[in-house]
Each structure stands twice: as structure tokens, then as C-alpha cells.
Amino acid sequence: MKDNRPVNLDIGTMRLPITAWASITHRATGVILFVGMGILLWLLDTSLAGPEGFAFVQESLGGFVAKFVIWGLVTALIYHSLAGVKHLIMDFGVGETMEGGILGARIVIALSVVLSLLTVIWIW
């Protein structure tokens, strides 16, 4: 019997379509947002603890690393939100074909890049 199953199942060596990358990135940004919300809640709690905590958070958020982390979280939120809207549109039956999925993924990625660049200008 001839076995027609794929031989190479190593995802690192496979050439994935843009729709797969968009889906993987959507999941990754969800994880980033989950972890980031914990950090932001800790910062909020610290800032509300008293004047010393507020001063600590204010000083911490002024540095380059903090601004970079905030930019990363906002960028993850932008991508995750746009990809979520794309999924909602697809739930209504629009763009369910392979061509529609590819176009939707390209639009989400392009809008995310533009909005992320605008976010850099806004934060710095």
C-alpha cells in the first residue's frame, strides 16, 4: 500500500501561506495581550497605592524600554483587533474563499503596519 501522507511535518521548514501566518500571529498577539494586561494591572495597582507608587510608575514609564513595551502592547492590540474584525466579517460569509482569505490577511497586515507606525509617532 502506498502512503500519500506528508513526510515532512516540521513546521519550521514548511512554507506556510499568508493566511496561516495571519492566524498564528493572531493567536500570538492574544497571548501577548494576556501577559501584557497583567503588567499593566500591576502598574495601575502600584500607581494607586500612594504617592510613592505613582511617582515610581511615572518615572518608569518615561524610559525607552517602557515606551517600547507599551508600543509592543498597543501594536499587538491593533493587530489582534483587526484580525478579530476580519474573522467577524468572515462569519457573515464575506471573504470565505481562499482568495478572500488571502486578501483579508494582506489588508490586516498592511493596516497593522500603518497603524503601528502611527503609534510610534504618538508614543514618542
Side-chain angles (χ1 to χ4, degrees):
M1 174 176 10
K2 185 171 180 170
D3 191 10
N4 290 331
R5 292 181 294 171
V7 176
N8 183 6
L9 295 178
D10 180 20
I11 198 164
T13 60
M14 289 179 168
R15 189 179 182 305
L16 298 175
I18 191 169
T19 53
W21 284 111
S23 178
I24 292 167
T25 308
H26 184 242
R27 293 167 195 245
T29 55
V31 172
I32 291 167
L33 289 173
F34 182 77
V35 172
M37 291 310 294
I39 295 168
L40 292 176
L41 285 172
W42 173 76
L43 286 171
L44 177 64
D45 182 53
T46 303
S47 71
L48 295 175
E52 301 85 19
F54 183 79
F56 168 74
V57 171
Q58 190 175 24
E59 182 182 322
S60 298
L61 291 179
F64 175 78
V65 174
K67 286 183 179 182
F68 185 75
V69 169
I70 296 295
W71 173 77
L73 288 174
V74 172
T75 299
L77 180 63
I78 288 169
Y79 183 86
H80 196 76
S81 298
L82 290 173
V85 169
K86 179 188 75 111
H87 282 291
L88 285 174
I89 291 170
M90 290 177 74
D91 285 343
F92 284 109
V94 178
E96 289 183 328
T97 63
M98 184 58 129
E99 294 81 18
I102 291 170
L103 178 63
R106 287 181 179 164
I107 289 171
V108 166
I109 292 169
L111 281 175
S112 296
V113 168
V114 169
L115 292 175
S116 295
L117 292 175
L118 290 174
T119 303
V120 168
I121 295 168
W122 176 54
I123 290 177
W124 275 280

